[in-house]
Amino acid sequence: MTIDKQRDLFYLSDSENHRILKLNLTNRTLTLIAGTGTADSTNRTLNTPLGITVDEHTGAIYVADSQNHRIQKFNWNSTQGITIIGGHGSGESLVQLSSPSGVAIDSNGNVYIADTGNHRIVQWLFNNGQTRIIAGKINDFSLLLIIFSICLYLCI
């Protein structure tokens, strides 16, 4: 679940019913905004959605569509999702996810994914659509470079 910046829209991930709901706290209305209630992998359906976040600049909703192994973006007032990463089956490559459970967005539009099945955090870069692992399960050399970079940053 998440709430918008103005604190009047509350977004709920209804995982068992494969949909995302929006509760307007001002007029107390509940609206279906993503998914159909049936598990599937089309651009209008979800399969066990978990984490959700709102892009405060555009109003788009990002959904960790766990069992479809993808992150779906739903633009404001659209029920048609756009896959920004994943959707190619479960896997470890940089274009694949494995049961993502959380999603967050920064002020630059970069998306951070809790790629639960792969035990890693993946960053999707808004400006070029590339992905990179920023924490978790990576090869030993990459881990060594990250630790070295952190040490340099903290020591300077």
Side-chain angles (χ1 to χ4, degrees), residues 1-12 21-29 31 33 54 56 59 61 76-77:
M1 73 182 104
T2 191
I3 194 162
D4 74 333
K5 185 169 54 173
Q6 290 78 26
R7 305 233 184 271
D8 60 353
L9 299 175
F10 189 66
Y11 297 89
L12 306 161
L21 302 169
K22 176 176 67 176
L23 174 63
N24 185 314
L25 298 173
T26 304
N27 63 19
R28 301 183 190 275
T29 57
T31 308
I33 61 165
V54 179
E56 295 293 344
I61 307 299
W76 178 253
N77 284 335

Side-chain angles (χ1 to χ4, degrees), residues 72-111:
Q72 288 292 90
K73 175 184 176 183
F74 293 88
N75 288 317
W76 178 253
N77 284 335
S78 176
T79 58
Q80 184 168 321
I82 302 163
T83 303
I84 64 163
I85 182 174
H88 307 288
S90 179
E92 294 183 0
S93 78
L94 284 178
V95 297
Q96 290 179 297
L97 300 172
S98 179
S99 304
S101 63
V103 62
I105 189 167
D106 67 19
S107 60
N108 296 319
N110 299 314
V111 177

Side-chain angles (χ1 to χ4, degrees), residues 13-124:
S13 180
D14 184 5
S15 300
E16 291 184 15
N17 292 306
H18 314 289
R19 62 188 183 172
I20 304 297
L21 302 169
K22 176 176 67 176
L23 174 63
N24 185 314
L25 298 173
T26 304
N27 63 19
R28 301 183 190 275
T29 57
L30 190 63
T31 308
L32 175 70
I33 61 165
T36 62
T38 302
D40 204 350
S41 61
T42 69
N43 62 1
R44 294 189 182 276
T45 58
L46 300 167
N47 188 352
T48 317
L50 296 177
I52 52 178
T53 194
V54 179
D55 182 338
E56 295 293 344
H57 300 293
T58 66
I61 307 299
Y62 290 82
V63 179
D65 190 8
S66 183
Q67 295 306 300
N68 283 325
H69 311 289
R70 66 184 180 182
I71 301 299
Q72 288 292 90
K73 175 184 176 183
F74 293 88
N75 288 317
W76 178 253
N77 284 335
S78 176
T79 58
Q80 184 168 321
I82 302 163
T83 303
I84 64 163
I85 182 174
H88 307 288
S90 179
E92 294 183 0
S93 78
L94 284 178
V95 297
Q96 290 179 297
L97 300 172
S98 179
S99 304
S101 63
V103 62
I105 189 167
D106 67 19
S107 60
N108 296 319
N110 299 314
V111 177
Y112 300 84
I113 301 122
D115 188 10
T116 306
N118 286 322
H119 311 286
R120 65 188 185 186
I121 303 295
V122 175
Q123 180 187 41
W124 178 80

